[in-house]
Amino acid sequence: MQRRNVVGASAESSVGDEVALPPYTDLLWPTLQAVIALGGSGVIEDIDAEVIDRTGLPDAVRTVLHGDGPGTEIEYRVAWARTYLKGMGLLSNTRRGVWSVTDRGRAVRESEIKPMQVAYTAEKRRKRLVRTASSGAQVVPLAAAPEDPELWREPVLAAVAELPADGFARMVTSVLRAAGFTTLTIPAPGSVPDNEPDDADADVEGTGVLRISLLSFSVFFRFVRGPERAGADVVREFRAAMVGRGDKGLLVSTGSFADDARAEAHRHGAPPIDLIDGDGLCDLLKEHGLGVRTTVRTVEDVALVPAYFADLAGR
């Protein structure tokens, strides 16, 4: 079944009797209320079910797949809603696969949701424009794209965060093999200690051989889910674990790295360590088509070139 934005209300629907799938912006308030109704926190499956019930969509609409599946389109849009609500400070997911309402989320009114979503999106676009301006770009976009082109990474990182330990390990193996690693040695995820929650995050580390042209290197790697912003201490601990286990080090985090972490990774006299943050991991998944599909479209981008009018004006 292919993805469609509008589907028949039932298998017996007549022509013209159609029900539109709500955009994720219309699912922000139902998603927030669903989490509150579940007692203030819930797992993804329960949140999806609660939101879908609140929309009152017929079964024929609920089962429309996103792309080729296996997830449905409505589940995909609820995932976007959760991502936006987190960015707006109304939801959090400090535990993998569990989403909780924040104090701000409990206090917010429905009429405030749309302005908050607009402000959040505008701030992300403002930051992107600042980066564009700092790079010396000579064009000024006349209109923003309907979706922030950078936001695709957020649901990808959310999907990675929600993987069980063995699923995360399989993803790491797929990424490394696609990138050219051979002779991978990754210990199987062990049992969870008694003093840890059943869904505790587990780092994935191991060794492998990476061949580049005529040269090959033994690499010690570690993939971690978080922290949000790793500091120099994380890099130092990784370097200590790396001793005797590889010629090169590769540290991958779904979060980001602070400036002192990047400085420590390339500290003079110490074995260099390559760092890949969450954005870089998403780019790898996209590059190798692992859980990310890229569809090329022909789009006309219209931009103002101020220099042309400045020349006409003699400035």
Side-chain angles (χ1 to χ4, degrees), residues 136-140 303-315:
Q138 298 302 309
V139 296
V140 179
L304 175 69
V305 183
Y308 172 78
F309 296 96
D311 288 344
L312 291 178
R315 295 197 294 269

Side-chain angles (χ1 to χ4, degrees), residues 15-182:
V15 177
D17 182 16
E18 296 183 328
V19 176
L21 277 161
Y24 75 89
T25 49
D26 287 352
L27 295 171
L28 294 172
W29 180 252
T31 301
L32 180 62
Q33 294 306 299
V35 178
I36 293 174
L38 290 169
S41 66
V43 297
I44 291 172
E45 292 80 4
D46 290 345
I47 295 172
D48 286 347
E50 181 72 19
V51 174
I52 291 171
D53 284 345
R54 287 171 176 267
T55 61
L57 294 173
D59 290 341
V61 180
R62 300 182 185 195
T63 56
V64 174
L65 297 180
H66 176 69
D68 294 330
T72 64
E73 180 65 23
I74 188 65
E75 289 170 344
Y76 176 79
R77 298 187 187 195
V78 174
W80 269 101
R82 288 194 302 268
T83 298
Y84 264 78
L85 289 168
K86 179 181 178 181
M88 294 154 61
L90 306 181
L91 289 183
S92 65
N93 66 327
T94 53
R95 293 180 60 197
R96 174 164 48 85
V98 179
W99 291 75
S100 304
V101 65
T102 64
D103 291 340
R104 188 180 183 188
R106 290 185 182 277
V108 72
R109 295 188 296 271
E110 184 175 5
S111 60
E112 298 174 294
I113 293 292
K114 182 61 176 179
M116 291 179 68
Q117 180 262 323
V118 171
Y120 171 64
T121 304
E123 177 62 14
K124 291 186 72 66
R125 288 173 177 163
R126 184 194 67 80
K127 290 179 179 179
R128 187 176 74 252
L129 289 175
V130 169
R131 291 195 297 270
T132 301
S134 65
S135 67
Q138 298 302 309
V139 296
V140 179
L142 293 179
E147 294 292 353
D148 190 320
E150 294 185 359
L151 286 179
W152 67 269
R153 294 183 178 88
E154 295 185 9
V156 173
L157 289 175
V160 171
E162 291 156 6
L163 286 172
D166 57 346
F168 185 51
R170 286 194 293 270
M171 186 208 73
V172 169
T173 300
S174 298
V175 169
L176 293 175
R177 290 199 184 283
F181 277 76
T182 61

Side-chain angles (χ1 to χ4, degrees), residues 156 159 285-286 288-293:
V156 173
L285 293 170
K286 177 184 174 185
H288 299 294
L290 299 172
V292 179
R293 175 185 300 159

